[in-house]
Amino acid sequence: MCIRDRYLDCAECYKEIYDTLVRNPEVFKDNQTIEFGFKVDQKTILENYVLFLAITTHSKEQLAHLHDLKTNYIQTLERHPKLLRLVNDLLSNELISTKPADFGFDTVEIFLKTVHHYEQHQKDFRRQLVQHNIRVLEKYYRKIYVARVSELLNVPKEEVEVEICEMINIGLIFAKIDRVSGICLLYTSDAADDLLCVDLGGRRIIKKKNT
């Protein structure tokens, strides 16, 4: 399907197709399959729209689409609980699962072996789940051991370091890793110093200032 830097474009295309199907359901027959074996039905198109948003690198545009889903498509999402959960998780300030399998999207079209780049889509879904959680931690910490991040996210330490470096390189967070001490320094707002106890997705974390 799409390469990484075009995920948002793909999501917006699927949104247009979905809106067209809702307005004009007679355009395509139910479960019609078109060129390259792609299905054209409301459920498949909606899944592809939401999942392309989910694997898209975090941005204001991505957030705008997620909020639009919660505002203008909420009745539709309520008929698709797994999609609603994913949208809610991505908009939350809580830690979420970093295991794609926990979300139950193995059979969604963009993850099928018959789809070009499906393996990259799977990897980028995992990546965005991990990066979401790193952004959440950034809100509450100025300094944290990489090993502690690994523990909280249930992600290998090496993967945590890779994702933090990726986020620094593309400007998603302002941070640096002291590899000698194993500490990640996060340059966040002063609010991080004021929160001594935070509840992140059911994981109650008690911390000291600047630790």
Side-chain angles (χ1 to χ4, degrees):
M1 276 190 174
C2 297
I3 56 177
R4 190 176 176 192
D5 61 349
R6 301 301 298 274
Y7 288 165
L8 185 60
D9 290 340
C10 290
E12 290 174 342
C13 287
Y14 276 109
K15 179 181 185 299
E16 289 299 319
I17 296 170
Y18 179 78
D19 289 344
T20 298
L21 288 175
V22 171
R23 291 192 302 267
N24 305 289
E26 72 281 359
V27 172
F28 293 105
K29 299 177 182 178
D30 285 344
N31 299 318
Q32 181 175 345
T33 300
I34 59 174
E35 193 174 3
F36 304 114
F38 295 147
K39 293 182 180 179
V40 184
D41 62 82
Q42 288 188 19
K43 180 177 181 291
T44 299
I45 299 303
L46 180 64
E47 288 175 340
N48 288 344
Y49 171 36
V50 174
L51 266 298
F52 265 119
L53 282 180
I55 67 176
T56 296
T57 300
H58 179 74
S59 67
K60 291 180 179 179
E61 292 79 9
Q62 183 221 32
L63 277 178
H65 278 287
L66 291 171
H67 282 295
D68 182 57
L69 278 165
K70 279 296 298 291
T71 302
N72 297 315
Y73 297 77
I74 186 61
Q75 291 183 340
T76 300
L77 289 177
E78 286 174 346
R79 296 195 295 272
H80 302 279
K82 289 190 292 186
L83 293 178
L84 179 58
R85 175 201 170 186
L86 178 59
V87 171
N88 284 334
D89 280 356
L90 293 175
L91 288 173
S92 75
N93 288 318
E94 298 182 348
L95 296 182
I96 63 177
S97 174
T98 55
K99 298 178 181 179
D102 288 349
F103 292 86
F105 292 124
D106 293 348
T107 59
V108 170
E109 189 172 65
I110 73 169
F111 296 140
L112 297 180
K113 293 182 179 180
T114 54
V115 171
H116 199 38
H117 300 305
Y118 80 94
E119 289 180 317
Q120 189 62 51
H121 296 161
Q122 294 171 346
K123 290 177 182 177
D124 287 330
F125 186 30
R126 158 79 168 195
R127 163 168 278 172
Q128 293 311 315
L129 296 175
V130 173
Q131 290 193 5
H132 166 88
N133 286 339
I134 292 172
R135 291 195 308 274
V136 169
L137 291 178
E138 185 199 24
K139 298 177 186 294
Y140 302 106
Y141 286 89
R142 283 190 180 276
K143 184 169 64 175
I144 185 171
Y145 284 100
V146 174
R148 177 59 170 155
V149 178
S150 173
E151 177 187 357
L152 289 171
L153 306 192
N154 194 26
V155 171
K157 180 180 174 183
E158 295 75 15
E159 185 178 356
V160 168
E161 290 187 355
V162 167
E163 295 307 331
I164 290 175
C165 290
E166 165 80 5
M167 295 173 77
I168 292 170
N169 288 337
I170 62 179
L172 287 180
I173 61 173
F174 297 97
K176 71 176 181 180
I177 296 176
D178 183 336
R179 295 188 181 278
V180 176
S181 66
I183 293 175
C184 178
L185 301 173
L186 299 162
Y187 304 105
T188 58
S189 69
D190 291 339
D193 289 334
D194 297 331
L195 295 171
L196 299 183
C197 181
V198 291
D199 190 349
L200 303 176
R203 306 179 204 189
R204 192 169 178 81
I205 301 170
I206 299 175
K207 67 186 185 69
K208 297 178 180 178
K209 291 186 179 182
N210 294 320
T211 61

